[in-house]
Amino acid sequence: MSIPSDQIEQALREYARVVPSLRASTVGLSPDQLTARPGPGDWSIHEVVLHTVDSDIVAWDRMKRIAAMERPTLIPYDETAFAKTLFYHEQSLEDALALFELGRRQMSRILERLPVEAFERKGLHTDDGELSLLDFVRRYVGHVEHHVRFIDAKRERLGVPRTS
């Protein structure tokens, strides 16, 4: 059963549409506000952004492998271990945002050139089972939206809500 091309086109538009929202969610925050942890055990906004970028890097690899390989195995990663051991607060927020934007543009160029059938191809995620390329595109639209809402909630707790 073939995926209608309009569904793919919509998913690709959404994949590109959410890109500016990550940077916008950090505008107007001081370094102290970016690294504050408004609540016990919470990640800082800086850590949430770095996590979102790391997740996208993993997603780019997964999507490329699904597009290019026959039913590749996709392994999970421990996002908490990444945040604890990869020096998130010492990494440049600006560089991370630039990497996210550049990577999304590059991945979008690849996705836009693939035939419809490529979006039906599946990988086997060891935790989540079979997922198609289209599933991953949609998943990573939702992932950014989820974390932007999370950042907005943190901003509220810090007393610096977004104005736009």
Side-chain angles (χ1 to χ4, degrees), residues 86-120:
L86 298 181
F87 313 101
Y88 275 7
H89 277 175
E90 295 165 31
Q91 292 185 40
S92 165
L93 185 71
E94 178 55 37
D95 286 352
L97 289 166
L99 177 61
F100 174 76
E101 293 161 349
L102 181 62
R104 281 275 174 131
R105 278 196 310 270
Q106 184 67 9
M107 194 67 218
S108 290
R109 288 183 193 112
I110 293 167
L111 293 169
E112 289 166 0
R113 294 187 54 95
L114 292 173
V116 170
E117 305 78 47
F119 291 88
E120 298 168 354

Side-chain angles (χ1 to χ4, degrees), residues 6 10 20 28 30 38 48 77 86 108 110 112 119 130 137 159-160:
D6 62 323
Q10 177 64 29
S30 70
V48 172
Y77 73 101
L86 298 181
S108 290
I110 293 167
E112 289 166 0
F119 291 88
E130 279 195 340
V137 172
V160 284

Side-chain angles (χ1 to χ4, degrees), residues 4-57:
S5 62
D6 62 323
Q7 286 185 23
I8 296 167
E9 291 165 8
Q10 177 64 29
L12 295 180
R13 279 193 302 275
E14 292 295 306
Y15 185 77
R17 178 194 58 79
V18 299
V19 172
S21 64
L22 189 60
R23 181 181 294 278
S25 72
T26 66
V27 169
L29 294 173
S30 70
D32 286 343
Q33 290 165 332
L34 287 164
T35 58
R37 290 192 174 93
D42 283 352
W43 285 3
S44 69
I45 291 170
H46 189 107
E47 289 167 324
V48 172
V49 171
L50 269 287
H51 157 73
T52 304
V53 175
D54 274 348
S55 292
D56 245 52
I57 292 168

